[in-house]
Amino acid sequence: MNPQTFHISTPVTRANCIAFISQIDDPNAIVVIKNKKETRSAAQLRLKWVWMGVLQKERAGFEGRSREGWNRYFKGKYIRPILLEQDEQYHEFFTNADRMLEQAPDDETRKWAINTFLDAIKTEWLNVRNMHEFMTLIDRYCTHQFQISLPVPGDLGWAYERENKS
């Protein structure tokens, strides 16, 4: 049997889901009901790219990273434990990445593999809470390492401050 997904947003969809379940004859079938995965917000994404642009400009004479380079750097530094805590499905992804890195025949291939995996990782995989954690780690890093205070636009400032107090 192929997996089926029902987004129970209307009474009709709910009825279709119940009808589908009632017709299952397989005693080994499993029905899973879960909430739709919440991903990071568009506002968080915009703020992340503002910050990456600030870092590109402020650190141009030092690291020389582009916005994309800073994004890759922070994903490499912080995202693995956050994703693993969020959902165990990422365990296989990181196990495969580790295996590929272990089998790299030389440093150039290893560097290519690291960049390939970091480019494959998307912050859209993070839910809002975990994206907030990721952004907080970036903010703290920039404050402590570079003494750079990253800007927070007005529409996010109140939420960001409230979250940092808790």
Side-chain angles (χ1 to χ4, degrees):
M1 171 188 315
N2 290 331
Q4 296 292 319
T5 302
F6 295 89
H7 183 212
I8 306 175
S9 58
T10 67
V12 171
T13 307
R14 184 181 327 239
N16 290 340
C17 178
I18 293 168
F20 179 82
I21 292 170
S22 67
Q23 293 177 12
I24 298 173
D25 287 332
D26 184 353
N28 294 317
I30 296 174
V31 175
V32 176
I33 299 173
K34 61 182 184 176
N35 287 329
K36 181 182 173 191
K37 220 178 206 181
E38 177 188 26
T39 61
R40 52 111 175 100
S41 73
Q44 287 174 317
L45 178 64
R46 286 191 306 271
L47 180 59
K48 181 190 79 166
W49 285 112
V50 166
W51 286 4
M52 299 303 111
V54 167
L55 287 169
Q56 177 183 349
K57 181 179 176 186
E58 293 292 322
R59 301 298 297 172
F62 302 97
E63 292 83 4
R65 289 186 178 105
S66 65
R67 291 174 357 134
E68 294 77 12
W70 279 109
N71 186 49
R72 185 182 300 120
Y73 175 77
F74 287 118
K75 287 191 296 184
K77 188 165 186 63
Y78 296 123
I79 210 162
R80 181 180 184 139
I82 296 171
L83 281 172
L84 289 172
E85 177 191 323
Q86 176 178 301
D87 193 333
E88 66 185 43
Q89 77 177 4
Y90 296 109
H91 179 74
E92 184 178 345
F93 176 88
F94 287 109
T95 299
N96 290 336
D98 292 343
R99 192 175 303 120
M100 180 185 258
L101 293 175
E102 289 169 4
Q103 295 173 354
D106 54 48
D107 287 344
E108 186 175 321
T109 305
R110 182 176 166 77
K111 185 176 179 179
W112 173 85
I114 289 169
N115 286 332
T116 299
F117 275 103
L118 291 175
D119 287 342
I121 295 170
K122 306 294 181 201
T123 57
E124 66 197 35
W125 298 350
L126 296 171
N127 60 33
V128 171
R129 181 181 61 82
N130 288 339
M131 183 65 175
H132 177 268
E133 180 182 348
F134 180 64
M135 298 290 288
T136 298
L137 291 168
I138 293 170
D139 188 38
R140 286 181 187 155
Y141 181 87
C142 292
T143 300
H144 294 286
Q145 294 296 315
F146 306 137
Q147 291 73 47
I148 294 174
S149 181
L150 296 171
V152 180
D155 62 338
L156 283 176
W158 67 272
Y160 189 74
E161 288 172 17
R162 194 173 117 225
E163 288 291 327
N164 280 331
K165 289 179 184 175
S166 46

